[in-house]
mmCIF file of all heavy atoms in Angstrom:
data_model
loop_
_atom_site.group_PDB
_atom_site.id
_atom_site.type_symbol
_atom_site.label_atom_id
_atom_site.label_comp_id
_atom_site.label_asym_id
_atom_site.label_seq_id
_atom_site.Cartn_x
_atom_site.Cartn_y
_atom_site.Cartn_z
ATOM 1 N N LYS A 211 -20.688 7.193 -17.940
ATOM 2 C CA LYS A 211 -21.299 7.169 -19.264
ATOM 3 C C LYS A 211 -22.489 8.122 -19.318
ATOM 4 O O LYS A 211 -23.432 8.011 -18.530
ATOM 5 C CB LYS A 211 -21.746 5.751 -19.600
ATOM 6 C CG LYS A 211 -22.275 5.585 -21.021
ATOM 7 C CD LYS A 211 -22.611 4.137 -21.312
ATOM 8 C CE LYS A 211 -23.090 3.965 -22.746
ATOM 9 N NZ LYS A 211 -23.395 2.538 -23.052
ATOM 10 N N GLY A 212 -22.431 9.092 -20.227
ATOM 11 C CA GLY A 212 -23.505 10.070 -20.351
ATOM 12 C C GLY A 212 -23.474 11.170 -19.314
ATOM 13 O O GLY A 212 -24.408 11.993 -19.246
ATOM 14 N N MET A 213 -22.424 11.233 -18.509
ATOM 15 C CA MET A 213 -22.334 12.279 -17.474
ATOM 16 C C MET A 213 -22.133 13.646 -18.132
ATOM 17 O O MET A 213 -21.214 13.841 -18.911
ATOM 18 C CB MET A 213 -21.176 11.976 -16.516
ATOM 19 C CG MET A 213 -20.961 13.048 -15.446
ATOM 20 S SD MET A 213 -19.606 12.653 -14.297
ATOM 21 C CE MET A 213 -20.388 11.413 -13.272
ATOM 22 N N PRO A 214 -22.980 14.647 -17.825
ATOM 23 C CA PRO A 214 -22.862 15.973 -18.458
ATOM 24 C C PRO A 214 -21.873 16.882 -17.734
ATOM 25 O O PRO A 214 -21.639 16.733 -16.529
ATOM 26 C CB PRO A 214 -24.274 16.532 -18.338
ATOM 27 C CG PRO A 214 -24.792 15.934 -17.058
ATOM 28 C CD PRO A 214 -24.197 14.547 -16.984
ATOM 29 N N PHE A 215 -21.287 17.782 -18.483
ATOM 30 C CA PHE A 215 -20.510 18.859 -17.869
ATOM 31 C C PHE A 215 -21.520 19.933 -17.456
ATOM 32 O O PHE A 215 -22.110 20.606 -18.286
ATOM 33 C CB PHE A 215 -19.506 19.422 -18.872
ATOM 34 C CG PHE A 215 -18.308 18.531 -19.094
ATOM 35 C CD1 PHE A 215 -18.303 17.628 -20.158
ATOM 36 C CD2 PHE A 215 -17.213 18.580 -18.250
ATOM 37 C CE1 PHE A 215 -17.211 16.796 -20.368
ATOM 38 C CE2 PHE A 215 -16.128 17.751 -18.451
ATOM 39 C CZ PHE A 215 -16.120 16.843 -19.515
ATOM 40 N N HIS A 216 -21.721 20.063 -16.143
ATOM 41 C CA HIS A 216 -22.759 20.976 -15.657
ATOM 42 C C HIS A 216 -22.183 22.276 -15.098
ATOM 43 O O HIS A 216 -22.931 23.152 -14.681
ATOM 44 C CB HIS A 216 -23.617 20.291 -14.595
ATOM 45 C CG HIS A 216 -22.844 19.781 -13.410
ATOM 46 N ND1 HIS A 216 -22.207 20.607 -12.518
ATOM 47 C CD2 HIS A 216 -22.607 18.517 -12.979
ATOM 48 C CE1 HIS A 216 -21.620 19.891 -11.578
ATOM 49 N NE2 HIS A 216 -21.842 18.608 -11.838
ATOM 50 N N LEU A 217 -20.840 22.383 -15.065
ATOM 51 C CA LEU A 217 -20.221 23.591 -14.546
ATOM 52 C C LEU A 217 -18.983 23.917 -15.370
ATOM 53 O O LEU A 217 -18.052 23.121 -15.448
ATOM 54 C CB LEU A 217 -19.830 23.405 -13.071
ATOM 55 C CG LEU A 217 -19.252 24.629 -12.361
ATOM 56 C CD1 LEU A 217 -20.293 25.745 -12.282
ATOM 57 C CD2 LEU A 217 -18.771 24.263 -10.957
ATOM 58 N N VAL A 218 -18.994 25.084 -16.009
ATOM 59 C CA VAL A 218 -17.862 25.517 -16.833
ATOM 60 C C VAL A 218 -17.517 26.954 -16.464
ATOM 61 O O VAL A 218 -18.298 27.882 -16.716
ATOM 62 C CB VAL A 218 -18.193 25.428 -18.339
ATOM 63 C CG1 VAL A 218 -17.040 25.992 -19.169
ATOM 64 C CG2 VAL A 218 -18.488 23.988 -18.745
ATOM 65 N N ILE A 219 -16.368 27.128 -15.834
ATOM 66 C CA ILE A 219 -15.903 28.464 -15.456
ATOM 67 C C ILE A 219 -14.644 28.751 -16.261
ATOM 68 O O ILE A 219 -13.611 28.092 -16.068
ATOM 69 C CB ILE A 219 -15.605 28.551 -13.948
ATOM 70 C CG1 ILE A 219 -16.852 28.147 -13.142
ATOM 71 C CG2 ILE A 219 -15.168 29.958 -13.567
ATOM 72 C CD1 ILE A 219 -16.622 28.124 -11.646
ATOM 73 N N LYS A 220 -14.732 29.689 -17.154
ATOM 74 C CA LYS A 220 -13.624 29.977 -18.063
ATOM 75 C C LYS A 220 -12.374 30.395 -17.291
ATOM 76 O O LYS A 220 -12.442 31.108 -16.293
ATOM 77 C CB LYS A 220 -14.042 31.080 -19.038
ATOM 78 C CG LYS A 220 -13.070 31.260 -20.193
ATOM 79 C CD LYS A 220 -13.627 32.229 -21.217
ATOM 80 C CE LYS A 220 -12.669 32.372 -22.386
ATOM 81 N NZ LYS A 220 -13.194 33.296 -23.431
ATOM 82 N N ASN A 221 -11.240 29.922 -17.783
ATOM 83 C CA ASN A 221 -9.939 30.187 -17.157
ATOM 84 C C ASN A 221 -9.877 29.671 -15.719
ATOM 85 O O ASN A 221 -9.167 30.219 -14.878
ATOM 86 C CB ASN A 221 -9.602 31.681 -17.175
ATOM 87 C CG ASN A 221 -9.455 32.204 -18.589
ATOM 88 O OD1 ASN A 221 -8.929 31.519 -19.469
ATOM 89 N ND2 ASN A 221 -9.925 33.414 -18.821
ATOM 90 N N TYR A 222 -10.650 28.609 -15.468
ATOM 91 C CA TYR A 222 -10.652 28.062 -14.122
ATOM 92 C C TYR A 222 -10.825 26.539 -14.126
ATOM 93 O O TYR A 222 -9.903 25.814 -13.812
ATOM 94 C CB TYR A 222 -11.747 28.732 -13.304
ATOM 95 C CG TYR A 222 -11.536 28.600 -11.807
ATOM 96 C CD1 TYR A 222 -10.380 29.064 -11.195
ATOM 97 C CD2 TYR A 222 -12.509 27.989 -11.006
ATOM 98 C CE1 TYR A 222 -10.182 28.941 -9.834
ATOM 99 C CE2 TYR A 222 -12.324 27.873 -9.640
ATOM 100 C CZ TYR A 222 -11.158 28.349 -9.056
ATOM 101 O OH TYR A 222 -10.963 28.229 -7.705
ATOM 102 N N LEU A 223 -12.019 26.066 -14.519
ATOM 103 C CA LEU A 223 -12.249 24.622 -14.506
ATOM 104 C C LEU A 223 -13.483 24.240 -15.307
ATOM 105 O O LEU A 223 -14.327 25.083 -15.624
ATOM 106 C CB LEU A 223 -12.402 24.114 -13.064
ATOM 107 C CG LEU A 223 -13.515 24.730 -12.196
ATOM 108 C CD1 LEU A 223 -14.872 24.089 -12.468
ATOM 109 C CD2 LEU A 223 -13.176 24.600 -10.717
ATOM 110 N N VAL A 224 -13.552 22.940 -15.623
ATOM 111 C CA VAL A 224 -14.767 22.333 -16.176
ATOM 112 C C VAL A 224 -15.080 21.135 -15.286
ATOM 113 O O VAL A 224 -14.188 20.408 -14.869
ATOM 114 C CB VAL A 224 -14.590 21.895 -17.640
ATOM 115 C CG1 VAL A 224 -14.302 23.096 -18.523
ATOM 116 C CG2 VAL A 224 -13.476 20.856 -17.788
ATOM 117 N N GLN A 225 -16.378 20.945 -14.991
ATOM 118 C CA GLN A 225 -16.762 19.894 -14.046
ATOM 119 C C GLN A 225 -17.948 19.114 -14.574
ATOM 120 O O GLN A 225 -18.919 19.685 -15.078
ATOM 121 C CB GLN A 225 -17.101 20.504 -12.695
ATOM 122 C CG GLN A 225 -17.426 19.478 -11.611
ATOM 123 C CD GLN A 225 -17.628 20.136 -10.255
ATOM 124 O OE1 GLN A 225 -17.239 21.282 -10.055
ATOM 125 N NE2 GLN A 225 -18.240 19.423 -9.332
ATOM 126 N N ALA A 226 -17.860 17.768 -14.442
ATOM 127 C CA ALA A 226 -18.938 16.883 -14.904
ATOM 128 C C ALA A 226 -19.509 16.135 -13.717
ATOM 129 O O ALA A 226 -18.785 15.757 -12.786
ATOM 130 C CB ALA A 226 -18.409 15.890 -15.928
#
Side-chain angles (χ1 to χ4, degrees):
K211 186 176 182 179
M213 177 179 284
F215 284 95
H216 58 67
L217 184 64
V218 175
I219 304 177
K220 191 172 182 179
N221 296 322
Y222 200 58
L223 58 82
V224 297
Q225 184 175 343

